[in-house]
Amino acid sequence: MKIKNIFFDFDGVIAESVSAKTDAFKEMYLPYGKEIADKVVDFHINNGGVSRFEKFKHWEKQFFNKTISEDRVQELAKQFSDLVLDKVIHAEEVPGANNFIKKYSKKLNFWIITGTPTNEISIIAKERNLSSYFVGIHGSPKNKRYWTEYLLNEHNLKREETIFLGDATTDQDAAQ
């Protein structure tokens, strides 16, 4: 089997940015009490790769018995983005990730597939000087499974020549 294509998750695979997001979620829910904030953190850690949009819907239902409007989801997502964007841009790289990407991007086709919103991950990749190494950069609101199938079909990629590098169960699900 010869690998020709790699789908990369971002947080925890390219950048050590998981803790920045964990801290931001905790900060957002701390006003509702430490117990709720701790449960938010636990859910976030145990559901890596799930989009923030889905997490907000879950938490609002779970903790406040509310089905929230799409406008409210967008409000929460904006608040979260304001807290976390700069931290992710400046997060340390996962050791060796940038060297690997730069070394092999001319020989292999690379894409980013992440739970981070597409517009935000595009800014992050640009600010980290990584955009030029990727054929495409894709995130939520579509999920990783959607993007994996879409890119396989859109670029006529062979499954046996494609791998997904990730660190979450959503990455494993998308890879399968």
Side-chain angles (χ1 to χ4, degrees):
M1 171 174 78
K2 183 173 179 175
I3 301 301
K4 294 183 180 177
N5 313 294
I6 300 178
F7 298 150
F8 289 84
D9 178 33
F10 187 81
D11 298 307
V13 175
I14 295 174
E16 298 285 8
S17 47
V18 175
S19 65
K21 293 184 175 188
T22 303
D23 293 345
F25 282 129
K26 185 171 187 168
E27 185 178 333
M28 286 180 69
Y29 281 88
L30 208 48
Y32 301 103
K34 185 178 180 329
E35 185 179 335
I36 287 178
D38 289 345
K39 288 179 181 179
V40 163
V41 166
D42 288 343
F43 184 87
H44 168 64
I45 290 169
N46 291 315
N47 292 275
V50 173
S51 82
R52 63 190 67 167
F53 305 100
E54 295 306 313
K55 289 177 181 177
F56 289 131
K57 290 174 188 175
H58 173 79
W59 293 328
E60 293 294 314
K61 185 72 172 162
Q62 180 76 26
F63 302 130
F64 311 115
N65 201 26
K66 291 185 198 170
T67 302
I68 62 174
S69 69
E70 196 54 40
D71 286 345
R72 179 68 178 141
V73 171
Q74 293 302 322
E75 240 176 72
L76 291 168
K78 169 84 170 84
Q79 182 183 353
F80 180 81
S81 182
D82 290 346
L83 287 171
V84 83
L85 185 62
D86 191 60
K87 291 176 185 172
V88 175
I89 289 169
H90 295 97
E92 294 291 321
E93 76 164 288
V94 169
N98 289 356
N99 287 338
F100 178 88
I101 290 166
K102 290 172 183 174
K103 181 175 181 177
Y104 292 103
S105 66
K106 301 240 187 295
K107 299 175 185 171
L108 302 169
N109 301 306
F110 292 162
W111 287 265
I112 292 176
I113 299 177
T114 179
T116 300
T118 298
N119 62 333
E120 193 173 302
I121 193 62
S122 296
I123 292 166
I124 292 165
K126 181 178 182 234
E127 291 297 316
R128 292 177 71 97
N129 296 314
L130 293 173
S131 299
S132 65
Y133 300 104
F134 293 92
V135 176
I137 298 172
H138 307 281
S140 60
K142 302 287 190 200
N143 65 32
K144 293 176 182 184
R145 179 179 271 198
Y146 169 87
W147 284 120
T148 301
E149 291 302 320
Y150 174 82
L151 294 170
L152 287 168
N153 291 327
E154 182 70 15
H155 295 277
N156 209 20
L157 307 177
K158 295 181 180 164
R159 290 181 188 277
E160 62 275 7
E161 296 175 346
T162 307
I163 61 172
F164 195 121
L165 294 178
D167 64 344
T169 55
T170 53
D171 302 324
Q172 182 179 13
D173 180 53
Q176 291 172 337

